[in-house]
Amino acid sequence: MLRLRTFLQQHCDNAELIDVIDQLAVTCKDIAHQLTLGDLAGILGSAEQENVQGECQKKLDVIANDLLKDSLAALPAVRGIASEEEPDPVACNENGAYLVLFDPLDGSSNIDINVTVGTIFSILAAPEGSHGSDEAAYLQPGNQQVAAGYVLYGPSTIMMLTTGNGVYSFTLDTRMGEFLLMKENIQVPAATAEFAINMSNQRFWLPAMQQYVDDLLKGETGPLGKRYNMRWVAAMVAEIHRILTRGGIFLYPFDNRDPAKPGKLRLMYEANPMSMLMEQAGGRCSTASEAIMAIQPQGIHQRVSVVMGSAEEVSIVEQYHH
Ligand SMILES: O=P(O)(O)OC[C@H]1O[C@](O)(COP(=O)(O)O)[C@@H](O)[C@@H]1O
Ligand SMILES: [Mg+2]
Ligand SMILES: [Mg+2]
């Protein structure tokens, strides 16, 4: 079985990009190890502080962020990083070719209950002459990503990766400490009857989204004409992994619970990298009215409405919004 680094050497002609992806994998092995130890390593619970988005940080949010920040900063190929847990971008190496954006620990509310979490990453080319602490350098639409992926920490640790040429999965063999290639050119089925949405927010959505979900719940007797199943893991990485494995639709639409936060998920280090994976696997991604990866970002922590997964189902949601 092919090791990640060997795979990268065969599929990617840029040595610096290989270094960045390899370093992400090495650090995520560390995070996976911390998660395996859990309570034994004293990593559970709250860090008793808030991040820039006003969300309470878990100890592991901070630990994972520091591991990724420190290891990437040490790499000559990285000009700067931006993270969910850092208020501003952090400059790394002046001559680095890449900017790395990440959600160090996705699904934070799952940490303390020993349920799946993940790390999401997006890699952009550093614009010529830009500085790693300059937010404007990062504000590139998702369709300019050089590579994107996630690492899922579940019963096994899995990296899903795209460098713009299909989607590949690697499983961490903990006996040898290597990610090994398991699946190539992953494809998402075009049709589905499985959805994932936090139903408790229904009354806060736009009327079109409420109507779609009402119709979907009517099953085979409703206008959509089929019986749907529902799943909600409360970690985007796990939902997207399920969809990349067997199809489905994931929705975290805009809502009016809190006018300051019309959407929950972040464009640059959650929605964009997941969109690149999904589109590379033949799925579709949308805000319900426009393509996520075409959005010109205004800020690194910008939030966005997310509808992604099996192509036909995403198109149905868009039709409700037209
Ligand atoms: O609290 P809810 O509505 O279940 O939200 C779950 C969503 O929030 C997130 O956990 C947000 O990510 P973070 O844990 O990185 O803040 C998503 O992974 C997930 O889809
Ligand atoms: Mg997240
Ligand atoms: Mg997070």
Side-chain angles (χ1 to χ4, degrees), residues 12-24:
C12 179
D13 53 12
N14 185 316
E16 287 186 294
L17 183 59
I18 295 175
D19 282 349
V20 176
I21 296 170
D22 197 43
Q23 189 74 356
L24 282 163

Side-chain angles (χ1 to χ4, degrees), residues 111-124:
I111 299 170
D112 292 343
I113 57 168
N114 203 23
V115 172
T116 301
V117 289
T119 295
I120 310 173
F121 57 88
S122 162
I123 304 177
L124 296 168

Side-chain angles (χ1 to χ4, degrees), residues 25 33 43 96 136 138 144 153 162 166 244 263 278 293 300 319-320:
H33 181 64
I43 56 163
Y138 295 76
Q144 288 181 26
Y153 312 104
T162 181
L244 288 172
M278 196 58 76
M293 287 200 291
I300 52 168
Q319 281 157 25
Y320 274 81

Side-chain angles (χ1 to χ4, degrees), residues 90-101:
V90 178
C92 299
N93 298 293
E94 223 177 305
N95 298 318
Y98 296 105
L99 304 171
V100 186
L101 300 89

Side-chain angles (χ1 to χ4, degrees), residues 157-178:
T157 297
I158 295 176
M159 175 185 274
M160 205 63 102
L161 176 71
T162 181
T163 55
N165 196 10
V167 177
Y168 296 82
S169 87
F170 304 82
T171 296
L172 177 62
D173 186 334
T174 50
R175 297 165 300 186
M176 57 195 284
E178 296 280 352

Side-chain angles (χ1 to χ4, degrees), residues 51 55 61 84-85 103-108 118 266 269-270:
N51 65 13
E55 294 157 348
D61 285 323
E84 179 187 2
E85 308 303 340
D103 175 355
L105 225 288
D106 176 65
S108 300
R266 278 54 58 106
Y269 40 80
E270 292 182 315

Side-chain angles (χ1 to χ4, degrees), residues 137-312:
Y138 295 76
L139 302 182
Q140 306 178 34
N143 53 27
Q144 288 181 26
Q145 291 171 105
V146 174
Y150 61 77
V151 175
L152 172 143
Y153 312 104
S156 54
T157 297
I158 295 176
M159 175 185 274
M160 205 63 102
L161 176 71
T162 181
T163 55
N165 196 10
V167 177
Y168 296 82
S169 87
F170 304 82
T171 296
L172 177 62
D173 186 334
T174 50
R175 297 165 300 186
M176 57 195 284
E178 296 280 352
F179 280 99
L180 303 178
L181 177 65
M182 301 306 293
K183 291 189 194 137
E184 304 185 55
N185 285 318
I186 290 164
Q187 288 292 309
V188 175
T192 186
E194 193 163 68
F195 72 101
I197 193 165
N198 186 339
M199 284 294 300
S200 65
N201 299 324
Q202 184 169 22
R203 70 189 189 281
F204 301 112
W205 302 329
L206 292 173
M209 189 58 78
Q210 296 198 31
Q211 187 62 55
Y212 165 69
V213 174
D214 273 346
D215 288 349
L216 170 161
L217 293 176
K218 288 183 187 133
E220 62 273 46
T221 59
L224 297 172
K226 57 183 166 183
R227 187 179 293 192
Y228 285 81
N229 185 29
M230 196 201 90
R231 287 286 183 272
W232 188 249
V233 188
M236 187 190 197
V237 169
E239 321 285 1
I240 299 307
H241 191 70
R242 184 182 59 252
I243 294 171
L244 288 172
T245 305
R246 67 178 190 212
I249 186 166
F250 169 78
L251 309 102
Y252 215 117
F254 278 143
D255 64 56
N256 60 14
R257 270 178 294 170
D258 175 354
K261 293 180 191 167
K264 172 151 186 175
L265 298 179
R266 278 54 58 106
L267 173 64
M268 303 220 59
Y269 40 80
E270 292 182 315
N272 272 343
M274 292 310 203
S275 295
M276 184 175 182
L277 285 167
M278 196 58 76
E279 289 196 3
Q280 283 289 318
R284 293 199 57 228
C285 311
S286 168
T287 63
S289 49
E290 64 179 318
I292 290 174
M293 287 200 291
I295 295 173
Q296 172 59 53
Q298 305 296 320
I300 52 168
H301 297 295
Q302 176 172 342
R303 293 171 190 269
V304 68
S305 163
V306 171
V307 178
M308 62 171 72
S310 292
E312 289 174 14

